[in-house]
Amino acid sequence: MKICPYCHNSNREGYLFCEDCGQSLHENDTVTMTPTREMDETTQNLYDRTNWGTARFGKNAVVVLHIRDAPEPVTLKPNARTILGRSDANTTQRPDIDLSPYGAIDKGVSRTHAMIYRNEDTLVLMDMGSSNGTHLNGQRLVPEQPRVLRDGDEIRLGKLVIHIYFKSSAAA
């Protein structure tokens, strides 16, 4: 285990950056830097053809959430807004998608952690001021600042990892 010098998170061996805060784990180590190699034209052409997943979310599309270590994905037709979080017996506040069955409390998911909402023909993810943060493709979101979701994105709520996919459905 490698301890982050910034946030003191325990990271798995082999990581160069903290899984939680992104800080370099080699701050005090002497690391041998290798020069960046220049890509040849063939390699560059491969990167030019690489596409991000689509951001377009059709009127009748559904969202498929693949939660890490869960046996089955969760499928939902998002409302105008869908709250992701965990339930708590001590409050009446309930999220639209309760992540408690997936170890949410142990993984640092807040009661109202993040929100997914429709914005014309896209879906947007927004952290709702959660205690342990929301990450989109490895980047921590600023609370209350919306980010467009794309098919295939990785969302991390605390330490709970979810891959999101868009699926077209028949016209309703």
Side-chain angles (χ1 to χ4, degrees):
M1 287 279 174
K2 192 93 167 165
I3 305 297
C4 175
Y6 183 72
C7 73
H8 307 290
N9 182 53
S10 296
N11 294 279
R12 293 178 275 185
E13 285 298 323
Y15 278 71
L16 300 176
F17 298 95
C18 178
E19 294 175 87
D20 194 50
C21 71
Q23 182 75 19
S24 172
L25 295 175
H26 295 287
E27 190 170 60
N28 298 326
D29 298 346
T30 53
V31 178
T32 305
M33 297 295 222
T34 55
T36 303
R37 98 178 152 82
E38 209 165 303
M39 296 188 320
D40 61 20
E41 195 172 314
T42 308
T43 307
Q44 183 60 47
N45 288 340
L46 286 174
Y47 287 108
D48 289 342
R49 285 183 286 184
T50 303
N51 294 323
W52 290 96
T54 184
R56 180 161 166 61
F57 189 75
K59 182 180 174 184
N60 295 313
V62 294
V63 173
V64 180
L65 302 174
H66 285 270
I67 301 168
R68 185 176 288 168
D69 300 327
E72 295 292 322
V74 175
T75 303
L76 70 127
K77 178 118 174 128
N79 301 323
R81 61 178 216 134
T82 303
I83 305 293
L84 304 174
R86 65 173 171 83
S87 62
D88 183 350
N90 297 324
T91 67
T92 57
Q93 194 173 27
R94 299 282 182 252
D96 299 312
I97 302 295
D98 183 7
L99 299 168
S100 297
Y102 307 101
I105 196 161
D106 294 331
K107 294 178 181 172
V109 176
S110 295
R111 289 172 194 86
T112 54
H113 199 105
M115 176 178 16
I116 295 175
Y117 65 91
R118 283 184 177 273
N119 191 7
E120 293 183 25
D121 64 347
T122 60
L123 284 184
V124 177
L125 175 69
M126 187 170 66
D127 180 82
M128 297 181 68
S130 64
S131 298
N132 294 306
T134 300
H135 292 75
L136 178 60
N137 298 322
Q139 299 234 325
R140 188 172 181 143
L141 301 185
V142 175
E144 308 296 326
Q145 193 169 61
R147 294 280 300 274
V148 173
L149 283 171
R150 294 178 176 275
D151 184 38
D153 278 349
E154 179 184 272
I155 301 169
R156 187 161 44 102
L157 308 176
K159 293 190 185 261
L160 183 76
V161 178
I162 303 169
H163 286 93
I164 186 167
Y165 299 98
F166 302 167
K167 183 178 177 184
S168 296
S169 65

